[in-house]
Amino acid sequence: MAERETTPPATVWSRPERGARGPAPERSRYEITAAALALADAEGLAAVSMRALAQRLGTGPASLYRYVGSRDELLDLMADAVAGELDLSAAPSGDWLGDLVGLALQSKAAHARHPWLAELNDRRGEVLGPHAIDYLDHALAVLVPAPGTSRQKLEAIGLLGGLATLFARREPPARAGSAQGTPGAAGDPPAQAAHLAAVAAEGRHPHLLAALMTAGPPPVAGPAERDALFERLLRRLLPAMLS
């Protein structure tokens, strides 16, 4: 029986940026994507619509469809643009674990700069555009000297992305006035620690009380401390995954 031919799924990158006919383009996908990123960073993912983007660019919504076929395509372009912010210029050093941790720190920082990205991936899944594929290939190049099978290495790269997203979600919000940024609010780490200590002191959770007494007070979780915790976790998990 003949093998079935597979056709790659159609994406915004599978067709030219503009058709061969028609007037010269007034804008580019890059310009439109950059404006959409700025809108999402300022107002959140829900604010990104073709109408709102057209208003930001000073044009009509219909004109944007000459460059992107739908809002979903625009979201794909936005996600890949964030992947393009990662610096992949350095050649693998041979220290696969250190190089991979460096990529993960970059990814976490990108997710923290663009909090809407996690929501986008939750809703649509990750659509691999050119920059994301470059990242995947670079990460696999870093892992050439590492032990483990190809499947294990792909799983490790997936873990990096998941943990980067998780830790970025714990970053304090950049915009002022949010409840999480208010000292003593429910999402404030010192307030959480104080609440946990008070509950443990009631005596109904002896194992929790013993762990808290042994661990001591939580450290001040500034940016450097959060990055250090993230790195420690990766350096423990990744070798175990690839052994």
Side-chain angles (χ1 to χ4, degrees):
M1 188 168 117
E3 292 186 5
R4 182 182 303 172
E5 293 185 2
T6 58
T7 303
T11 69
V12 66
W13 300 282
S14 61
R15 65 174 187 273
E17 181 165 345
R18 63 179 294 265
R21 299 180 179 179
E26 299 175 356
R27 307 190 185 278
S28 66
R29 281 182 186 166
Y30 175 84
E31 182 183 1
I32 291 170
T33 303
L37 287 175
L39 180 59
D41 289 344
E43 302 182 33
L45 190 64
V48 179
S49 67
M50 301 300 274
R51 182 176 297 278
L53 182 58
Q55 185 175 13
R56 192 179 187 94
L57 290 168
T59 187
S63 68
L64 297 184
Y65 288 101
R66 295 172 53 199
Y67 307 92
V68 291
S70 65
R71 181 178 184 267
D72 284 346
E73 287 192 353
L74 177 63
L75 297 178
D76 292 342
L77 288 168
M78 291 166 61
D80 196 60
V82 177
E85 295 177 5
L86 275 61
D87 183 4
L88 308 179
S89 61
S93 69
D95 175 11
W96 66 266
L97 183 54
D99 288 351
L100 212 56
V101 168
L103 283 177
L105 287 168
Q106 282 199 68
S107 180
K108 182 173 80 70
H111 277 81
R113 287 193 301 272
H114 308 289
W116 49 266
L117 182 61
E119 178 189 351
L120 189 156
N121 289 338
D122 286 346
R123 288 170 50 187
R124 288 182 45 73
E126 189 171 2
V127 179
L128 295 183
H131 289 119
I133 292 172
D134 288 345
Y135 168 83
L136 179 59
D137 187 73
H138 183 81
L140 287 169
V142 163
L143 285 171
V144 166
T149 65
S150 295
R151 179 176 293 277
Q152 287 175 312
K153 292 178 180 181
L154 288 170
E155 289 172 349
I157 295 169
L159 175 70
L160 283 186
L163 287 176
T165 302
L166 177 64
F167 269 70
R169 279 174 160 162
R170 304 296 295 173
E171 294 287 336
R175 292 186 295 272
S178 90
Q180 287 184 326
T182 305
D188 186 46
Q192 291 177 337
H195 172 68
L196 195 60
V199 171
E202 295 174 356
R204 294 183 292 109
H205 305 88
H207 299 289
L208 175 60
L209 178 61
L212 291 176
M213 292 180 65
T214 302
V220 177
E225 289 77 16
R226 288 190 293 269
D227 282 352
L229 173 60
F230 182 58
E231 181 171 347
R232 287 199 303 274
L233 182 62
L234 291 176
R235 287 185 177 275
R236 291 171 186 166
L237 288 176
L238 290 171
M241 287 191 69
L242 296 172
S243 62

